[in-house]
Amino acid sequence: KQRDSPFKFLDAYQETDEEVFFGREKETEDLYDALSGVKHLLVYGPSGAGKTSLIECGLRNQFSDVDWFALTIRRRKDMIRSVFESINNALEDKIPLDTHTGLPLEEHIDFANSIEKLYAECYLPVYLLFDQFEELLILGTKTEKEDFFTRLNQLIRYRLPCRILLIMREEFVGHLSEFEHLCPSI
């Protein structure tokens, strides 16, 4: 029988690929340790360096299902909509979302309220893994970016067991400074 190649080429390694994901033990351990005691963390590196694999295979295999509840979020068409959809997909008791905007029908519901609801259902610290985060900086409208960083700041300041990982290509890190006034801790 021919063995499947352990190389994924352009695809990221996933949690189930642990037996063929090797050579990144130190980076995985460093990332796991860096999460201790912080509310949010920036993971960056050059394109193709394996940031997503490090998170999805390396980091995910450091935690057990009773240690965390992790949601990987990609921007798709709108970052705020993607956040609410990802949280809502994980919820048993769904938040009513507007079919056109993807935002909660009740305007007072923000990221923190949504995470609080998820935490109440799963009783696990929630981790939001924003993969390919540079997509927001490249493709997002000014309003979308400002709204996202305002909401992110509120979530970071909210007393709730929620951690945030922003995973992005290093050449876009400098763009974050444009939003420091909305989210000073970034």
Side-chain angles (χ1 to χ4, degrees), residues 2 7 13 27 33 43 45 47 53 60 72 80 90 94 96 106 108 110 114 120 143 147 154:
Q2 185 178 3
F7 302 108
Y13 288 90
E27 291 89 349
D33 291 344
V43 177
S47 182
S53 295
R60 279 191 184 270
T72 298
I80 290 97
K94 306 288 186 205
E106 296 179 41
H108 74 278
D110 57 17
S114 302
T143 303
D147 188 15
Q154 292 167 345

Side-chain angles (χ1 to χ4, degrees), residues 18-174:
E18 183 178 26
E19 66 185 44
V20 294
F21 182 74
F22 56 88
R24 303 289 298 271
E25 293 82 9
K26 177 164 180 12
E27 291 89 349
T28 300
E29 187 177 319
D30 289 348
L31 180 58
Y32 182 81
D33 291 344
L35 277 170
S36 178
V38 298
K39 193 78 168 161
H40 59 298
L41 189 66
L42 174 64
V43 177
Y44 64 92
S47 182
K51 298 174 294 295
T52 300
S53 295
L54 184 63
I55 303 296
E56 294 299 328
C57 187
L59 187 62
R60 279 191 184 270
N61 282 299
Q62 292 296 306
F63 287 95
S64 76
D65 290 340
V66 297
D67 291 332
W68 75 335
F69 192 93
L71 295 175
T72 298
I73 301 169
R74 292 271 311 261
R75 178 183 176 269
R76 294 188 308 264
K77 292 181 181 181
D78 179 88
M79 183 63 89
I80 290 97
R81 179 181 193 141
S82 293
V83 171
F84 283 116
E85 286 176 353
S86 294
I87 294 168
N88 219 30
N89 287 339
L91 286 169
E92 288 182 32
D93 182 22
K94 306 288 186 205
I95 297 168
L97 300 177
D98 182 287
T99 55
H100 297 305
T101 66
L103 302 178
L105 290 174
E106 296 179 41
E107 289 184 19
H108 74 278
I109 297 177
D110 57 17
F111 289 171
N113 302 124
S114 302
I115 295 296
E116 188 170 43
K117 186 174 174 87
L118 181 58
Y119 178 75
E121 283 187 7
C122 68
Y123 299 107
L124 295 170
V126 176
Y127 286 69
L128 300 180
L129 314 174
F130 289 97
D131 194 23
Q132 308 291 321
F133 188 70
E134 69 274 5
E135 291 174 348
L136 171 65
L137 303 173
I138 299 167
L139 303 170
T141 65
K142 184 178 194 269
T143 303
E144 178 188 355
K145 293 178 213 177
E146 289 176 352
D147 188 15
F148 175 80
F149 282 103
T150 299
R151 291 172 185 263
L152 182 66
N153 187 55
Q154 292 167 345
L155 179 59
I156 290 167
R157 297 172 56 91
Y158 201 74
R159 294 181 185 262
L160 191 69
C162 177
R163 294 197 174 142
I164 297 130
L165 272 77
L166 304 178
I167 306 142
M168 62 189 292
R169 293 192 327 231
E170 67 186 349
E171 61 264 29
F172 295 98
V173 171

